[in-house]
Amino acid sequence: MKKIILALVVVILTTPAWASVAITVKDLGEGKAAIDYSGTELVRAFALDITVDAGTIDAISDFAVGDDNNGYGVFPANFSRHITVDATTGEVSDWAVAGYTPVAAADDPGALGGLGTNGITIEMGSLYDTKAPALEGRLCVITCSEACKVTVTTNATRGNVVLEDASEATVDLAGATDVQIGGVGNYTGPQPDEWQAVGNPDCWIASINARQCKGDADGLSQGKQKYWVSTSDLDILIGAWNKSFAEIDGQTIGGVPLICADFDHMPQGKQKYRVSTNDLDILIANWQAADSPAADCP
């Protein structure tokens, strides 16, 4: 097997039929974000761009190194720079070489700026005799310098995502787009899984709108009495009434996403309506009370 190191390069340059692979980003706390994958067919190699909208990506960790280890430890961008293959045996005697990481150099074609900038390009492949990677797992963990939103995209110049059969995968990046990591941007309410399921809406975050869970969809007061729950919030609720997330995703009223009228942060009924009677009850309970309710959503 170890005599076929160049097979990875051949695979990356080949492109037939399609299968789906999902890439997701998970907030691990302390500024760290996990880059995970899952699919129905085995991936041979990943070429991905990872960017942040604020600060920099300062470190990468928790990645496999080497071959035949149930992981993606062969890094095409840095292989020739750091790894020596015995010309006779085809063996790699030492994978633990300083500088051998998945991060492509900034001067590689199509690569982003690298660690210490707002974007890195990673390339990760597998070679194995018996210990193939799993159909789902963790590629790596990045460390961000400050609270930010992390986005992952495929890198066509470096090869995108390629399957074991040399075909190029279709890649689902919905769970790896604008994912909030760290800082005041974190959702601190009781339903973090629901927050992620509906695209991490900012309006659910108490540090941004501390009255949203009490019926204040737009984060604004109305009139001289400073009604925090009033007609503009009702308009947003009506716009989202008895609709699933798929039906309201991306829709706004007055620039406010309709998902902001989901005051209890839970779907309701068999149809999984994001905004329904439970949310209406919350709005009614706080309707047009002067300078109320208190700004104390969890």
Side-chain angles (χ1 to χ4, degrees):
M1 180 278 301
K2 295 175 182 175
K3 294 182 179 180
I4 60 168
I5 293 292
L6 291 179
L8 183 61
V9 177
V10 174
V11 167
I12 288 175
L13 294 175
T14 315
T15 53
W18 304 81
S20 181
V21 176
I23 305 294
T24 56
V25 176
K26 181 179 181 181
D27 186 0
L28 300 179
E30 299 182 344
K32 296 181 182 294
I35 312 300
D36 297 334
Y37 72 93
S38 63
T40 56
E41 295 188 40
L42 194 58
V43 171
R44 172 65 74 172
F46 296 86
L48 305 171
D49 288 338
I50 307 171
T51 58
V52 295
D53 71 341
T56 56
I57 300 172
D58 290 344
I60 185 170
S61 61
D62 295 69
F63 50 84
V65 178
D67 60 355
D68 209 27
N69 59 9
N70 301 118
Y72 293 93
V74 179
F75 313 137
N78 287 313
F79 187 87
S80 62
R81 291 187 177 102
H82 298 284
I83 301 301
T84 301
V85 180
D86 187 288
T88 302
T89 66
E91 299 283 339
V92 174
S93 60
D94 185 11
W95 289 98
V97 179
Y100 185 57
T101 79
V103 181
D107 57 358
D108 283 347
L112 299 181
L115 295 177
T117 75
N118 70 339
I120 63 174
T121 298
I122 62 170
E123 292 183 25
M124 308 180 72
S126 70
L127 286 173
Y128 58 89
D129 282 325
T130 58
K131 297 180 180 179
L135 290 175
E136 60 182 42
R138 180 151 297 167
L139 292 175
C140 63
V141 172
I142 61 169
T143 301
C144 306
S145 66
E146 61 185 81
C148 62
K149 290 183 178 180
V150 173
T151 294
V152 180
T153 57
T154 56
N155 185 310
T157 302
R158 309 300 298 176
N160 289 326
V161 177
V162 179
L163 301 173
E164 286 276 310
D165 64 2
S167 64
E168 185 175 333
T170 55
V171 183
D172 178 1
L173 296 168
T177 302
D178 288 334
V179 178
Q180 184 68 46
I181 302 298
V184 297
N186 273 347
Y187 174 78
T188 54
Q191 307 296 340
D193 290 343
E194 292 297 325
W195 181 64
Q196 292 185 343
V198 296
N200 305 350
D202 288 344
C203 58
W204 286 22
I205 299 172
S207 60
I208 294 175
N209 182 359
R211 297 180 178 86
Q212 190 272 340
C213 71
K214 297 183 176 183
D216 178 13
D218 62 1
L220 301 172
S221 64
Q222 282 183 257
K224 294 180 180 180
Q225 301 300 316
K226 295 186 68 176
Y227 298 140
W228 288 96
V229 179
S230 192
T231 55
S232 60
D233 307 295
L234 178 60
D235 289 342
I236 297 165
L237 181 141
I238 291 171
W241 183 254
N242 279 355
K243 295 178 181 177
S244 67
F245 178 61
E247 294 176 286
I248 65 173
D249 186 20
Q251 296 188 33
T252 64
I253 289 180
V256 179
L258 296 188
I259 192 64
C260 295
D262 181 356
F263 303 129
D264 66 353
H265 304 175
M266 290 291 291
Q268 193 172 340
K270 292 182 179 180
Q271 303 301 318
K272 294 188 176 181
Y273 298 138
R274 291 310 319 190
V275 177
S276 194
T277 54
N278 291 342
D279 306 290
L280 179 60
D281 289 344
I282 293 170
L283 182 138
I284 291 171
N286 295 290
W287 181 256
Q288 290 190 342
D291 201 17
S292 290
D296 58 4
C297 286

